[in-house]
Amino acid sequence: MERDTLSLRLKTVADYVRQGDIVADIGTDHGYLAVYLLTAGISPKAVLGDVNEGPLKAAAENIQAYQLAEQAEVLLGNGLDVLTERKADTVIIAGMGGPLISSILESGKSQLKNVTRLILQPNIAADHIRVWLMANGWKIIDETIFAEDGHIYEVIAAEPGDPYEVYSVEIPVMKQHWLGPVLMQTKNFAFRLKWERELEQLEQIQSQLNRAANREKAAEKSEEVTRKMTWLKEVLNE
């Protein structure tokens, strides 16, 4: 499979796979990422797992079409359960919400003992992933944010290590979880676009809260919204 046939989202994920790594693609969907990594000679072997039979059947067909059956296992299973008694150097979980990715990592922690890299691509709520990584001894080695087809995506790569190494002691940890400790340093176009949109939404929410009938409940929510608005104004004006 040629690299050009992949979406920008999957190309970006693929760029974080180290040469020679055995990969596990959890929630593989049609298996395009694994097919590319194998045909390009980046990975010698791959485990493709999905909880849904339909996409997994399509992945199996793609593996057969590219004559990769000896290099790839296509397995029906929940999350990291497919790695039971199997080896993977890198685990990829892409195309899901941050809370679901975090849940998969938490439920499958026992399968991560020999894994040396995580490549995670949340569609929303990446902060849940960063919280999990910090709590479980994974250091963020890089992050990227980009736009494709009207959507903004983030990719987080992590390895075992000191989670605090990449975090600034001068910035609240919660703020860095939310915005991304690496992304805050680069602040590219996609980063600014995402958080400018978020700031506009928060301003609308704040306006609604100011008109709410239940003042006590609104005040609590307003405090959180105000804090986030302050954070965004700080980072966007730096």
Side-chain angles (χ1 to χ4, degrees):
M1 177 179 284
E2 296 297 326
R3 179 180 171 84
D4 289 345
T5 63
L6 292 180
S7 65
L8 175 61
R9 182 177 68 86
L10 291 182
K11 285 179 187 175
T12 305
V13 171
D15 285 342
Y16 284 107
V17 178
R18 297 166 298 193
Q19 182 71 37
D21 271 15
I22 298 173
V23 298
D25 186 13
I26 307 301
T28 190
D29 195 30
H30 286 58
Y32 297 131
L33 178 60
V35 168
Y36 166 71
L37 293 171
L38 293 170
T39 56
I42 297 170
S43 297
K45 294 183 180 180
V47 176
L48 292 74
D50 207 294
V51 72
N52 297 309
E53 292 186 9
L56 201 66
K57 181 180 178 182
E61 291 172 352
N62 283 325
I63 291 295
Q64 290 294 334
Y66 282 89
Q67 300 178 341
L68 296 169
E70 293 186 2
Q71 294 174 263
E73 284 190 273
V74 183
L75 302 167
L76 182 68
N78 186 24
L80 295 170
D81 289 349
V82 298
L83 284 182
T84 303
E85 298 181 358
R86 290 175 179 83
K87 171 180 170 57
D89 304 301
T90 288
V91 165
I92 300 168
I93 311 178
M96 308 176 199
L100 178 55
I101 292 176
S102 301
S103 175
I104 290 171
L105 292 170
E106 180 65 23
S107 299
K109 279 197 291 189
S110 62
Q111 306 297 341
L112 295 174
K113 292 177 181 177
N114 298 314
V115 172
T116 54
R117 178 167 290 189
L118 297 174
I119 305 172
L120 311 169
Q121 183 269 299
N123 291 339
I124 59 169
D127 55 314
H128 288 255
I129 292 173
R130 296 186 184 99
V131 169
W132 187 91
L133 293 172
M134 178 173 282
N136 289 277
W138 288 83
K139 177 181 70 174
I140 295 173
I141 60 166
D142 198 17
E143 300 176 309
T144 189
I145 184 169
F146 55 94
E148 182 180 32
D149 297 333
H151 300 283
I152 296 178
Y153 299 108
E154 297 179 40
V155 177
I156 302 169
E159 295 179 354
D162 180 4
Y164 290 91
E165 190 174 309
V166 73
Y167 283 78
S168 170
V169 295
E170 300 174 354
I171 302 171
V173 172
M174 287 179 61
K175 179 179 179 180
Q176 295 179 82
H177 283 331
W178 191 44
L179 301 173
V182 177
L183 299 181
M184 288 178 66
Q185 298 172 30
T186 55
K187 288 184 287 188
N188 66 10
F189 174 79
F191 177 91
R192 290 188 174 276
L193 180 61
K194 173 179 179 175
W195 294 113
E196 284 169 358
R197 289 176 179 174
E198 180 69 16
L199 180 57
E200 289 179 3
Q201 292 176 1
L202 289 171
E203 288 172 342
Q204 292 175 7
I205 292 171
Q206 185 70 284
S207 178
Q208 294 168 2
L209 290 171
N210 290 338
R211 300 192 300 269
N214 188 334
R215 301 301 299 170
E216 184 177 346
K217 187 175 181 180
E220 182 178 345
K221 179 66 176 177
S222 179
E223 183 178 345
E224 177 188 356
V225 170
T226 299
R227 180 174 66 250
K228 288 184 174 181
M229 287 171 57
T230 301
W231 286 347
L232 290 181
K233 289 174 182 177
E234 288 171 350
V235 77
L236 291 172
N237 292 327
E238 287 174 351

